[in-house]
Amino acid sequence: MADKVSRRNFLSMVGASTTGAVLFVACSGIPDEEFIVQAPVDLPEDLVKGRDNWFATTCGVCDGGEGVIVRVMEGRAKKIAGNPDFPVNMGKQSARCDSALQMLYHPDRIAQPLARVSRGSDLNPISWDEADSLLKRWVGSGSVTVATNPLRGHLGKVASDFAGKFGGRHIQFDALEQGVLHGAMKTVFGTDRLPEFDIANTQTLVSFGADFLGTWISPTNFSVKYGEFRQGENRANRGKLYQIESRMSITAAAADKWIPIRPGMEGEMAMAIANVIVGDGLVSDGNIARYTANLPDGTLAVFDLATVSGRTGVSEDTIRDLALDLAANGPGLVIGGGSAGAHTNGSFNLAAIYSLNILIGSVGTEGGLFLNPDSPWDGVPSSAAGASFDEWERELSEWRAGNVNTVILRRADIVRGLPRSVNVQQALDNVPNIVAFTDVLDDTSALADLVLPEASFLESWGTEIPEPAPGYQTVGVQQPVVSPARTRDGSRVLSDARAFGDVLLGVAGGDLGATSMKDLVEEAVSALFDLDRSASSITAPTSGLFMRGALQRGGWWDRDGKAASRPQDAPPLANTHSTPEFAEAAGGEGEVFYLQPFSSIALLDGRFASAPWAQSTPDPITSAAWTTWAEINSSTAKRLKISRGDKLIIKSTTGEIEVLAYPHVAVPPDVIGIPIGQGHENSGRWAEGRGANVLSILVDKKDAVTGALAWAATKVRVIRTGLNHEIARAEGSVDAFEVEPQFPIAVVRPGESAKDAIHAAEERHDTYADPDDK
Amino acid sequence: MVTQQDSPYNWGMVVDVDRCTGCQACVIACQAENNVPLNTENLYKEQRTYSWIRVERYWEGEFPDVKARFIPIMCQHCGNAPCEPVCPVFATYHNNEGLNVQVYNRCVGTRYCAIGCPYNVRFFNYWEPVWPEALRNQLNPDVTIRSRGIMEKCSFCIQRIRRAERVARRDDRLVADGEIQTACTQACPTNALTFGNLKDPDSKVSRMSKDRRAYKLLDEKIGTDPNVIYLARVEEKAEAVHG
């Protein structure tokens, strides 16, 4: 061990002059405490005027419905953090949460309503009165489509009711639609609400394609449980995670075993696991009976290890070991989603995956999954998924046929998000009136005839029903926590924005049961008070105090409000399509790859692209930021003479994009992974013209059952351009070198101490490093 | 003789690498809390980004037996900090609560401290930080914006520590365990980061620091005596070979 030289020792060795000087001063009678180096009076926090307040509300940007608290000073939001009370995220947050502040104070927020005199002319400022009357006139002529992001809670009800009142429909858009997942839930468990995954108490966790720690559904919720799964104080053993995925997400990186699989073959692997468990009788007869009840004879035999291994690219031993582990080391839990459901056989894949929970007896048991109850409010949507690609094709054909008079868009960037083959822009050209609610112009709202500045969730009233719920009835209450955003000198309002729900209710003129979202929220909370639940999170003698409690805590939940999770029979899995089909690559030069689009950890599908914090967040795997890159296997790249930063053309049969190559070791040789989220023509100064939109080159393959877009079923050619650009990335900004074995990440076996592991590593290191010394 | 006032606190952090997923929540929460300048694309390309806490990724193995491992790195608040004795103006010093403190108004930008730091966690402001006027609304008023020409680094969210200590003094008590959360520990969704008082034997960080998995970065080699303690990653077939 090296000798330690402390700073104080060092100072004493330097000489007496320093000490002498101090002594001299000390002798002058100044007390010792005067030598505190930094005077507290100068601390900046002591100079701050005003008082901060933390308000609870519900996040309105991500999909999970997390509770947040917002630090507000003088009407301005300063920080967003997870709401420690809220049972979904339990005080925690993702890398995206704080970006909502930058969206609130975005310098490119639309300041006031804008309208065009005619299609193709410029957008010009108008007053809200003019905008209101225009909107009333347009929707008054009927045939209205309201297109939004997936909406739960009262805003979802308002959007649907509004569309219904004006002779139209409410259609929801999600670029990476979750309809296949909801469909699989319905098939396997009889409810399309997503269940509560009891990851914290699971011993063996198997995930197919679901990047649940990064971007899938409710990652903060899952991450909190994952922390307990690994090192929970009350656990007997550390949990074990298998991730079966065609690229390395952060969930795959966290896994004890990452199993790369041929894209689209996840369902077959699930069936092979079932084949082993059933064939070897590894679980109870009752479980096997429930799993096989609706399975036609001979179904499992098709998925024998040798066949499935050949088709999936996963070794027989790996499949068998996983099956044995899952059956023997319970409680087990099997989840699936993301790319596993984004194939032509997506419904089969997810049904086969989730049915494994029935086989291992994990439905309604600790460490397994629990079905979630319905909303406490009748008629209010508690589950939402984007409409299928099939439905969108039908809707767009109505627009093209001139059957829709007015389209109202809200956070549905369909021009950017739907494949080029459906030509959304041409469909919009045939709609007489296009209205868009937005904060910053995106690629779809830029085409609107009337653009209405929409208030942030930090400025609006609303309710949220988180999905998945924590296993019991839970609602979030959203309240305005800041004053309308103003320029910093306070001279003008940054954006004269109004809440989407308030505008719809106003235009409907009271016909939707309320004239403001605030009224609806108060009514809704009052209804919760009337339920008079004994395990309610709020106890108050009056409805008014109950409302105050709901605002203080950011919502309401009833830990007894659970759904029955009973063992049930698995569905007839053989009736669904099991083999994936791919859109073949375009002809011409270049090697063919499976295209694996994936959600960016900071931008998701692109909704956060306007925020500079989100843009600058390093991707965990590549550390890249501010751009679009293509992950390619480093050996494959070497063979193709592709280096980091090489500009590549990624070409499908419907189009091509240019991205920068990022070779690394954790990509299957035949896969190219490209993040979703960039490639905006609009979306503010930090997003415009940056990177490429991989969604634009997807071919319109669909899931055979739901008609959802099979967004992982496109093959592409990769062509070198001969150009090279530097990738903005965090790695390399500090030197990486191995200072000592196990530095900086020490790895121990279960029960081993870090000290022993490091010393053992040093001994091995010395043996390897100094063979000539002997 | 000058002696530092005794303090009941020795602030420290425990990082459980086995819980960390590399999600970057700590990184952005820190930037939001501490008015860290925007890391623009150009700053990345010039390798002059600011990140008081960063998550490093290390590869091990080759496809398909490959692992990516993550570790958050921030100022280690060393008891024997190599950055402290080299500062000619005492802009960085060790306070009596275990913090390696940076006094911005003293710093003259020699960057000796950054050269001395073996953890590469000190950042020099090559430019005046710039935010569009509207975005300045969300700046934290408790935290000084650092001007061009000086060093900055993780302060363990000293503004939150001071606040909690003031409240505790007012109530004539000590800061309770768990009362202070730095922005990164508050955000971390897997609870991989824990902050607390290492002087309190009953605090969570004290208990965790005695875990069999505990180690300190480089401490045995160069004796920096960090106040950040790491808990090793657990793997069934751990091999001490790193790429």
Side-chain angles (χ1 to χ4, degrees), chain A residues 716-730:
Chain A
V716 292
R717 281 189 189 276
V718 174
I719 304 158
R720 293 168 56 210
T721 64
L723 302 173
N724 184 283
H725 295 273
E726 194 176 350
I727 298 178
R729 61 198 172 90

Side-chain angles (χ1 to χ4, degrees), chain A residues 173-256:
Chain A
F173 175 69
D174 176 10
L176 301 180
E177 51 187 279
Q178 303 295 346
V180 178
L181 177 64
H182 287 265
M185 291 298 158
K186 187 87 177 166
T187 302
V188 179
F189 303 119
T191 170
D192 61 359
R193 290 220 71 198
L194 304 183
E196 148 82 347
F197 300 116
D198 190 13
I199 294 169
N201 294 307
T202 301
Q203 185 56 41
T204 304
L205 174 57
V206 181
S207 160
F208 289 83
D211 178 18
F212 66 88
L213 297 174
T215 58
W216 187 68
I217 308 287
S218 191
T220 309
N221 170 258
F222 301 143
S223 294
V224 174
K225 296 169 183 169
Y226 171 82
E228 295 305 297
F229 168 79
R230 285 307 197 195
Q231 292 295 337
E233 288 183 5
N234 299 321
R235 287 183 65 96
N237 296 304
R238 177 178 181 270
K240 186 171 182 182
L241 168 62
Y242 292 89
Q243 178 76 2
I244 300 125
E245 196 177 7
S246 306
R247 71 168 283 273
M248 181 176 271
S249 62
I250 69 164
T251 308
D256 297 279

Side-chain angles (χ1 to χ4, degrees), chain A residues 529 538-547:
Chain A
F529 174 74
I538 305 162
T539 49
T542 67
S543 179
L545 289 173
F546 190 88
M547 175 73 184

